[in-house]
Amino acid sequence: MPQAASIHLQTPISEILVIPTPTRTLLIREGIETAADLLHILPARHEDRRQLTFTGFHPDPNPVCHHLRILSTRLLRFGRSAVFEATTVPASARFSQHQLTLRWFGMPFMQRALAVDMNLIVYGKIKEIKSRLIIDHPDYEILLEEDTDPTAPRIHTGRIVPIYRLRGNLKQKPLRTALWHLLQDLDPSALPNLLPTPKATGEFSGYTRAKAIQTLHHPPDLDTLTQARRYLALEEFYLLQLRLLHHRHQHRLHSGNPQKPPGNLLQSFLQNLPFDLTAAQLRSLNEIRQDMADPIPMNRLLHGDVGSGKTVVALAAMLVAVESGHQAALMAPTQILAEQHYQNAQRWLTPLGLRVSLRTADKRNTGILPVRETDILSVPSDTTCTPKTHDQLPEHLPHILIGTHALLYDRVSLPQLSLAVIDEQHKFGVAQRARLIAQSDTIPDVLVMTATPIPRTLTLTLYGDLDVSTIDERPRERGKIITAVRDSTKLKDITAFLKTQLDEGRQAYIVHPLIEESEKLDASAAITGHATWSKRLKKHHVGLLHGRIDSETKDTVMRKFRDNEIQALVTTTVIEVGVDVPNATVMIIHDAARFGLAQLHQLRGRIGRGTHTSYCILLIDKNDEEARQKLTILEQTSDGFQIAEEDLRRRGPGDLLGSMQSGQAPLRFHELLADTRLLTLARQLATRTLIQDPNLTQPDHALLRPFVLDSLPVRTTLQ
């Protein structure tokens, strides 16, 4: 048998004899082959099972922990099914008049595990059924005769117990037991520190990785557990920041095409716009132009509130590339959004003599169909505002190419791409973005855009390798949006108001959280809602849109809505991003409490895009005071950044992390990304490390290299 200190992270599970043989077999069957594999199954949560003070048995929605003695047992059979029951009393003789029944369904083998007079520590929810107090399928631990102290820490009870996410046929008790025994015999030196020296980590001075991991699995108290989680979160954020900053550094080593044209084309564009850019738009455009003038390829994020005017800034940046004698491309996630950008480009850029082209495609049975191209628009090249640098492009090539993912498969149209703009970038995978950038013969400047306001605390994490431009004000000509939270019982009055708006020529979105009715979820559905609203709005054409509709039908519905052939559109959240219908001035959102604040604000951004006053009505249950309080901020402000911060505080980062984690291991402590101090410290430590050792060649940084340089999951760097 191995010595106590002989277990290291690379030790095979088959050789860790302190783990029972059946458990070892099960672990290996589930792909857990080494001590490292087992150790890094981290708890999803913890349960406090330390409270053993007996005050009587009472029905309780919260789990309770009791020290019990088995009074009697019986096995009840009902055909092929069986129920094992153990009647128990408190272990203390002075409370023997109290009884509690423990019950297991379909587990007749429990009669071999439990017997009369056994002492147990039991954890579960007590409920009352026909005058009996019962716990179904409780967690339990048998006390042996030598266990005289029921309050002593044990594996499954009497302590703060880790609860793990299970895989395959693994169960909590065998997994918890295996980890308990592993940590008793694991050599602490097998868990070297990844963070810089404790002195550099402030509040975590004296902490080690070994101590934090041990605490996570065996926390002595809740305060220590919190600190251990924060230490491991700091470590994880530190590794992420190292990767982002190293990627940023490597990107800046490449050389691109400095783009410093005279600016005549851009000036003509800005002068011909029917509106003036806001100060925030001009500031962002200036930051982009400075980047494009640099020989280092631009890698910048442009983000802002819904309706803040990111597209016009992106088009202005594309003109800088065109006047420099190159091409620019804009990739959008949907055909309807690509066409919308294309129409704007036609309206604004055709007078400048530019060739603008559109590429879209549908996925059908055979995959990518032949590309559909609109006629290339061309104005004679002697147009006074068109610089001669345009003539450097062959006539068959567009100056600006706008499209969907079809751009990724167009290998001939972008040989001189010098600016790639990616709209709603989180809708594309990392590989797709890289493929677009690779279409050019040289590394182009890259501008990614998102209409999701990102809290400042997450910008470092989501876009730590990018420079960031923020548009934080709305164009003055946009209409006002009035938001109101209303009880769903007021639907009759709301319908009357909607009819008035439609009669005046306006249009409306009616949003439902589900596509179809669900027995499991108490929420309204678009298909049923469409039938209901069609009856309510008989004089008007009511359309239906949701994610299961095929692309061609979806595009047809949106075109009809955009052309006012459909006056009210019953929809799910598929309209959340990119749809621009200035005549739509009313939005009714059913079951608004089911949505996050940021998502509601994103949906609300589909109205208020014209000059008319718009109205967003959030319907909630009459008695849902919690939802009313939560949604009040939407009535009070239209500042997307303020709303995003509040949403982060309430819900954590949530789906914002989806795009960042594409292609890499998910963050285990993502809920702590709301902790500005922790994230800032991680950034500072990572910056300091890379200043001292840019390529992590020093021996102290050997463990960091695989994760930072090879993009491996965090846990493999510890093996």
Side-chain angles (χ1 to χ4, degrees):
M1 183 172 178
Q3 297 298 314
S6 65
I7 298 179
H8 292 269
L9 293 181
Q10 298 84 2
T11 302
I13 290 292
S14 59
E15 297 179 12
I16 306 177
L17 304 184
V18 293
I19 299 176
T21 300
T23 303
R24 276 185 280 146
T25 302
L26 184 57
L27 290 171
I28 294 170
R29 190 179 301 155
E30 297 299 336
I32 302 169
E33 299 178 349
T34 66
D37 293 334
L38 178 58
L39 192 63
H40 291 92
I41 300 176
L42 299 184
R45 58 186 177 87
H46 294 79
E47 291 179 348
D48 191 346
R49 302 184 180 180
R50 296 173 296 176
Q51 181 57 260
L52 287 172
T53 303
F54 184 74
T55 59
F57 297 130
H58 310 285
D60 196 331
N62 301 308
V64 293
C65 199
H66 286 297
H67 179 204
L68 306 174
R69 179 174 61 85
I70 297 178
L71 194 63
S72 64
T73 65
R74 63 175 180 169
L75 182 65
L76 306 174
R77 293 191 179 276
F78 305 93
R80 294 184 178 181
S81 62
V83 180
F84 176 76
E85 290 186 352
T87 301
T88 67
V89 295
S92 174
R94 61 196 185 95
F95 296 112
S96 58
Q97 71 274 20
H98 298 268
Q99 290 191 357
L100 179 66
T101 300
L102 312 180
R103 192 166 63 171
W104 288 266
F105 293 90
M107 300 172 63
F109 55 84
M110 289 297 298
Q111 64 181 333
R112 298 192 298 272
L114 300 181
V116 173
D117 285 335
M118 273 187 176
N119 274 265
L120 309 174
I121 303 294
V122 170
Y123 182 81
K125 296 179 181 179
I126 299 177
K127 55 187 176 181
E128 185 172 9
I129 301 176
K130 295 181 179 179
S131 301
R132 285 202 304 166
L133 295 173
I134 295 173
I135 300 181
D136 286 330
H137 293 271
D139 248 357
Y140 70 93
E141 196 157 16
I142 299 172
L143 298 186
L144 303 178
E145 291 184 5
E146 57 270 24
D147 291 340
T148 57
D149 182 5
T151 63
R154 290 176 173 79
I155 298 179
H156 310 293
T157 57
R159 69 182 183 110
I160 300 172
V161 176
I163 307 296
Y164 301 93
R165 290 189 180 90
L166 300 176
R167 65 176 79 170
N169 293 316
L170 281 176
K171 305 297 182 186
Q172 286 290 345
K173 293 182 85 168
L175 179 58
R176 198 181 293 134
T177 300
L179 279 158
W180 174 280
H181 289 304
L182 171 62
L183 284 164
Q184 304 306 309
D185 286 12
L186 183 69
D187 183 351
S189 66
L191 291 166
N193 295 330
L194 298 180
L195 283 169
T197 57
K199 184 178 180 181
T201 55
E203 64 181 288
F204 301 104
S205 181
Y207 243 82
T208 64
R209 173 163 236 281
K211 178 181 177 181
I213 291 278
Q214 176 81 26
T215 299
L216 206 62
H217 292 289
H218 297 162
D221 56 69
L222 294 176
D223 288 341
T224 306
L225 172 61
T226 298
Q227 193 70 349
R229 286 179 56 78
R230 285 174 53 77
Y231 177 89
L232 292 173
L234 176 63
E235 177 191 89
E236 189 171 47
F237 301 164
Y238 169 70
L239 292 173
L240 175 62
Q241 291 301 322
L242 280 175
R243 180 187 296 182
L244 292 171
L245 289 173
H246 184 267
H247 179 269
R248 180 190 181 102
H249 174 71
Q250 293 300 113
H251 180 81
R252 296 185 68 82
L253 295 178
H254 293 293
S255 58
N257 293 316
Q259 304 187 76
K260 296 185 286 187
N264 299 331
L265 187 59
L266 176 59
Q267 184 178 2
S268 297
F269 170 68
L270 296 178
Q271 288 175 345
N272 290 329
L273 285 175
F275 52 83
D276 294 328
L277 297 190
T278 65
Q281 287 174 307
L282 291 171
R283 181 186 67 239
S284 297
L285 178 57
N286 187 51
E287 291 168 350
I288 293 168
R289 292 181 67 187
Q290 289 178 2
D291 276 4
M292 294 180 71
D294 198 298
I296 298 171
M298 177 176 69
N299 204 20
R300 181 170 286 274
L301 164 73
L302 176 64
H303 77 135
D305 213 340
V306 286
S308 59
K310 293 176 293 298
T311 302
V312 69
V313 173
L315 288 175
M318 295 168 84
L319 295 182
V320 175
V322 171
E323 191 175 354
S324 298
H326 304 113
Q327 295 174 285
L330 190 158
M331 186 167 69
T334 65
Q335 179 169 320
I336 193 72
L337 184 53
E339 290 180 353
Q340 183 174 291
H341 286 319
Y342 176 65
Q343 290 170 353
N344 287 331
Q346 278 186 311
R347 184 167 71 253
W348 291 335
L349 304 184
T350 297
L352 303 180
L354 301 187
R355 296 189 297 272
V356 182
S357 186
L358 174 69
R359 299 284 193 275
T360 62
D362 292 325
K363 286 186 176 181
R364 295 182 183 170
N365 296 333
T366 56
I368 301 298
L369 293 177
V371 169
R372 187 188 79 182
E373 181 181 358
T374 64
D375 294 331
I376 293 178
L377 298 174
S378 181
V379 174
S381 58
D382 60 356
T383 302
T384 56
C385 63
T386 305
K388 294 181 180 180
T389 48
H390 296 180
D391 297 336
Q392 296 178 22
L393 285 180
E395 290 187 2
H396 70 280
L397 293 177
H399 296 108
I400 291 176
L401 186 58
I402 296 171
T404 60
H405 60 281
L407 294 182
L408 304 175
Y409 304 93
D410 187 342
R411 299 183 180 277
V412 297
S413 297
L414 295 171
Q416 298 188 43
L417 177 67
S418 67
L419 174 62
V421 180
I422 302 171
D423 193 16
E424 298 302 339
Q425 62 82 33
H426 58 284
K427 300 289 186 180
F428 296 100
V430 175
Q432 288 178 306
R433 298 197 293 269
R435 182 165 183 167
L436 175 63
I437 295 168
Q439 300 289 65
S440 176
D441 297 333
T442 59
I443 296 178
D445 291 324
V446 176
L447 179 68
V448 298
M449 301 194 299
T450 177
T452 303
I454 304 166
R456 295 168 184 83
T457 52
L458 289 186
T459 304
L460 290 177
T461 304
L462 291 168
Y463 305 105
D465 57 337
L466 304 181
D467 296 305
V468 179
S469 291
T470 302
I471 303 180
D472 50 9
E473 60 180 309
R474 284 168 56 89
R476 287 183 292 274
E477 67 276 2
R478 291 293 172 91
K480 180 182 179 181
I481 301 177
I482 298 173
T483 301
V485 179
R486 293 290 183 266
D487 299 340
S488 53
T489 56
K490 304 290 186 182
L491 204 51
K492 184 177 180 180
D493 295 336
I494 293 168
T495 301
F497 170 76
L498 176 57
K499 288 179 179 178
T500 301
Q501 291 292 305
L502 298 183
D503 289 342
E504 291 178 0
R506 307 283 81 78
Q507 292 169 268
Y509 297 99
I510 302 170
V511 182
H512 290 264
L514 303 179
I515 296 176
E516 295 181 308
E517 299 288 354
S518 168
E519 294 182 0
K520 296 181 179 179
L521 298 175
D522 182 18
S524 60
I527 293 176
T528 306
H530 176 253
T532 302
W533 280 103
S534 295
K535 293 177 182 177
R536 290 174 181 155
L537 306 173
K538 292 180 181 179
K539 289 173 53 181
H540 304 281
H541 188 186
V542 180
L544 174 64
L545 190 69
H546 57 73
R548 292 185 197 161
I549 294 176
D550 63 84
S551 298
E552 187 174 347
T553 304
K554 193 182 299 181
D555 291 334
T556 299
V557 171
M558 281 310 307
R559 284 195 193 94
K560 287 184 176 181
F561 186 63
R562 193 169 54 198
D563 296 339
N564 205 0
E565 295 177 31
I566 292 174
Q567 286 74 52
L569 184 61
V570 177
T571 178
T572 58
T573 58
V574 293
I575 51 94
E576 181 179 354
V577 170
V579 181
D580 190 359
V581 182
N583 192 50
T585 60
V586 179
M587 176 172 285
I588 299 170
I589 303 179
H590 287 270
D591 296 304
R594 297 186 62 85
F595 301 95
L597 294 174
Q599 187 176 28
L600 287 170
H601 180 65
Q602 192 77 15
L603 288 166
R604 179 172 63 176
R606 297 306 102 209
I607 59 175
R609 306 183 79 83
T611 57
H612 299 283
T613 299
S614 295
Y615 305 90
C616 179
I617 302 169
L618 307 175
L619 295 176
I620 63 171
D621 186 86
K622 181 179 181 180
N623 300 316
D624 195 343
E625 284 304 317
E626 182 180 350
R628 194 180 303 277
Q629 292 176 12
K630 164 188 161 183
L631 301 178
T632 297
I633 189 173
L634 293 169
E635 293 181 307
Q636 296 172 342
T637 182
S638 59
D639 185 337
F641 291 93
Q642 183 180 342
I643 292 167
E645 292 283 359
E646 177 65 16
D647 204 34
L648 175 64
R649 186 185 69 81
R650 286 177 173 270
R651 299 202 308 162
D655 293 339
L656 283 172
L657 297 177
S659 58
M660 182 202 65
Q661 296 187 66
S662 176
Q664 60 181 278
L667 290 174
R668 296 174 182 265
F669 301 95
H670 63 81
E671 74 280 1
L672 291 174
L673 285 169
D675 190 326
T676 308
R677 190 156 54 94
L678 208 58
L679 194 56
T680 302
L681 176 58
R683 183 79 167 194
Q684 292 171 347
L685 293 174
T687 301
R688 190 181 308 162
T689 298
L690 291 177
I691 288 175
Q692 296 171 351
D693 186 11
N695 293 310
L696 303 175
T697 56
Q698 296 176 8
D700 289 348
H701 298 148
L703 287 174
L704 303 177
R705 286 177 58 83
F707 178 78
V708 175
L709 305 184
D710 301 335
S711 297
L712 294 176
V714 174
R715 66 184 185 86
T716 60
T717 69
L718 310 175
Q719 299 180 15

